[in-house]
């Protein structure tokens, strides 16, 4: 199979709760639209009818018992469907795909946070995604205490927002460790910056990638 990332550009946003991903994704979408760049915006878990049902089960039923492994498998099911139904087709059409969370969230939340074995997670993720990795991952990094306080102002906490601070500290460390391991694709941004500053930083990084991609494709 042709590697899907070879035509379009696959961008993911990652980070802890309350880091401002939603705002930044909306700002990036405005920029892409303004620049006339064809794009698709999606999210995990979600993005397909199956993903939406998975989201309902894992996030919005706080009293349902979901242990770490089945939780990861549910995210993986949503991810596999999303890659096949939405992400790969868009990349094959040469479009930019902007995804709110992807496999790094599983490594950070279910791996670093819940203690599932990273090797197992990587193996199952490989099967679920066919090895599709983002070209660019924007990690909005934030102290979890600040992020959770921000998220709390948005109403009822979901199941993960209810987890203890220690869990969220491990998640943050997990994300930062991934960013170090794969420094070629990660850009770590300080999410305490203003929304305007962050939006500018995000657009600088994305515009640079788009230029690099265009040059590579014109050769
Ligand atoms: P969401 O409501 O999308 O909030 P956020 O703005 O924080 O992204 O919630 C997604 C939640 O799902 C978030 O707490 C992280 C969690 N999650 C995992 O634990 N593992 C995963 O693989 C994914 C995709 C998400």
């Amino acid at each position: 199979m042709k590697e899907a990332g070879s035509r379009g550009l696959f961008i993911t946003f990652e980070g802890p709760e309350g880091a401002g991903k939603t705002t930044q994704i909306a700002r990036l979408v405005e920029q892409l639209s303004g620049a006339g760049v064809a794009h698709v915006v999606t999210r995990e878990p979600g993005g397909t009818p199956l993903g939406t049902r998975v989201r309902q089960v894992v996030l919005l039923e706080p009293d349902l018992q979901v242990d770490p492994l089945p939780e990861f498998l549910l995210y993986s099911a949503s991810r596999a469907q999303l890659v096949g139904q939405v992400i790969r087709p868009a990349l094959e059409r040469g479009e930019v795909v902007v995804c709110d969370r992807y496999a790094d969230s599983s490594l950070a939340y279910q791996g670093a946070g819940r203690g599932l074995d990273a090797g197992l997670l990587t193996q199952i993720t490989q099967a679920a995604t066919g090895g599709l990795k983002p070209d660019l991952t924007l990690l909005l990094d934030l102290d979890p205490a600040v992020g959770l306080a921000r998220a709390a102002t948005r109403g009822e906490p979901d199941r993960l927002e209810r987890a203890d601070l220690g869990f969220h500290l491990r998640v943050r460390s997990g994300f930062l460790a991934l960013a170090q391991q794969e420094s070629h694709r990660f850009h770590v941004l300080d999410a305490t910056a203003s929304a305007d500053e962050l939006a500018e930083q995000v657009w600088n990084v994305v515009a640079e990638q788009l230029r690099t991609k265009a040059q590579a494709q014109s050769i």
Side-chain angles (χ1 to χ4, degrees):
M1 187 195 305
K2 186 171 169 295
E3 188 42 59
S6 62
R7 283 194 58 205
L9 188 69
F10 183 21
I11 303 172
T12 58
F13 278 76
E14 298 282 3
E17 321 297 314
K21 286 185 288 95
T22 310
T23 306
Q24 291 308 319
I25 288 170
R27 297 285 292 265
L28 174 59
V29 165
E30 275 172 29
Q31 292 277 11
L32 290 169
S33 303
V37 178
H39 57 275
V40 166
V41 188
T42 189
R43 71 168 174 181
E44 280 203 359
T48 64
L50 175 68
T52 303
R53 285 170 175 78
V54 168
R55 183 177 190 87
Q56 177 72 33
V57 169
V58 285
L59 293 177
L60 303 179
E61 296 191 34
D63 298 327
L64 185 73
Q65 181 176 344
V66 187
D67 292 341
L69 181 61
E71 182 184 29
F72 166 67
L73 294 172
L74 286 165
Y75 285 126
S76 296
S78 170
R79 184 166 301 137
Q81 190 67 36
L82 185 66
V83 166
Q85 191 174 339
V86 176
I87 299 178
R88 274 193 194 276
L91 292 173
E92 289 293 335
R93 294 193 301 271
E95 297 179 5
V96 171
V97 175
V98 180
C99 193
D100 186 347
R101 298 194 183 278
Y102 188 62
D104 297 311
S105 275
S106 286
L107 288 168
Y109 281 82
Q110 282 68 55
R114 298 283 184 220
L116 290 184
D117 178 63
L120 175 73
L121 299 188
T122 304
Q123 216 181 335
I124 293 173
T125 298
Q126 167 74 29
T129 62
L132 179 69
K133 284 200 166 197
D135 299 297
L136 170 64
T137 297
L138 294 150
L139 173 57
L140 302 191
D141 178 51
L142 188 66
D143 177 345
V146 177
L148 287 172
R150 283 189 190 174
T153 63
R154 296 190 309 223
E156 273 299 293
D158 66 29
R159 213 164 44 79
L160 281 162
E161 285 166 2
R162 290 182 180 199
D164 62 278
L165 187 59
F167 168 77
H168 288 288
L169 288 168
R170 292 194 298 280
V171 170
R172 182 196 198 181
S173 305
F175 274 130
L176 291 173
L178 287 168
Q180 272 198 336
Q181 280 161 30
E182 297 195 43
S183 53
H184 62 282
R185 91 174 146 90
F186 271 90
H187 279 261
V188 183
L189 303 174
D190 175 359
T192 61
S194 73
D196 284 348
E197 276 173 296
L198 273 174
E200 194 181 327
Q201 290 172 18
V202 166
W203 181 239
N204 285 341
V205 175
V206 172
E208 173 65 33
Q209 286 263 346
L210 287 169
R211 276 194 293 275
T212 308
K213 193 106 195 158
Q215 276 165 6
Q217 283 171 355
S218 68
I219 295 170

